[in-house]
Amino acid sequence: MSHVSPCYAYREQRVDESPEALGLRLAAELAILFTASWWQSQAEWQIHEPIARQAGVSNAVIEALCQGLKPAFEQEDERLIYRLGHSLYATRRIDDALYADAIAAFGEPAVVELVGVFGYYALVAMTLNMFQVRRGTDTPLPFAEP
């Protein structure tokens, strides 16, 4: 991911993790947070919001996602992850232009991995919502209950 600064790897990169894998992990956290927001999954958001923040997702992006707004992204790769998630959830498809942009930015293996992240965490969000899973903390819920 282009927004990962060289020094960031020294703080957050795991010993056995390549720079590419680190970037994908950061991308995955944004995808998970977008998914939690889309599905308004209370527990998924509460679990992944601090992880996404630690991974480098900005406060402004986190706040916008929590409010159901399109963030004003500073990084093009983050904007692209948002576009992928929004297209998958809203239309259940990715058009050719978006697919080409994603492949050019991330490469095909990473795009396949991101689609898997979106799909898996949508399943998690639906399950958590269905069974009204809560974290059992005094922290206010991030989303209004229906």
Side-chain angles (χ1 to χ4, degrees):
M1 301 298 294
S2 63
H3 70 279
V4 180
S5 69
C7 67
Y8 191 82
Y10 296 110
R11 288 194 324 238
E12 299 297 332
Q13 189 172 2
R14 297 174 183 154
V15 175
D16 61 342
E17 189 172 44
S18 70
E20 294 79 17
L22 170 64
L24 186 55
R25 182 165 53 93
L26 301 180
E29 284 305 325
L30 177 56
I32 294 165
L33 212 56
F34 175 81
T35 300
S37 172
W38 184 271
W39 289 97
Q40 295 191 334
S41 178
Q42 309 287 11
E44 192 169 63
W45 181 275
Q46 289 176 324
I47 292 165
H48 282 276
E49 182 270 335
I51 298 168
R53 188 179 303 280
Q54 181 181 3
V57 178
S58 74
N59 291 336
V61 168
I62 289 170
E63 279 303 309
L65 289 174
C66 190
Q67 294 173 18
L69 303 172
K70 181 179 179 180
F73 292 102
E74 293 182 17
Q75 303 297 329
E76 185 56 38
D77 47 4
E78 291 180 339
R79 184 178 294 106
L80 190 52
I81 292 164
Y82 177 91
R83 288 175 53 211
L84 284 168
H86 190 273
S87 183
L88 280 170
Y89 293 151
T91 72
R92 294 164 299 284
R93 302 286 187 277
I94 300 293
D95 66 38
D96 291 343
L98 179 53
Y99 180 79
D101 289 347
I103 296 299
F106 305 125
E108 192 170 44
V111 172
V112 170
E113 188 73 26
L114 275 171
V115 171
V117 168
F118 281 118
Y120 175 76
Y121 282 93
L123 167 68
V124 170
M126 287 186 280
T127 304
L128 293 171
N129 285 353
M130 171 67 187
F131 297 103
Q132 300 179 19
V133 174
R134 300 294 181 263
R135 294 216 46 222
T137 69
D138 293 336
T139 305
L141 295 175
F143 309 109
E145 288 287 283

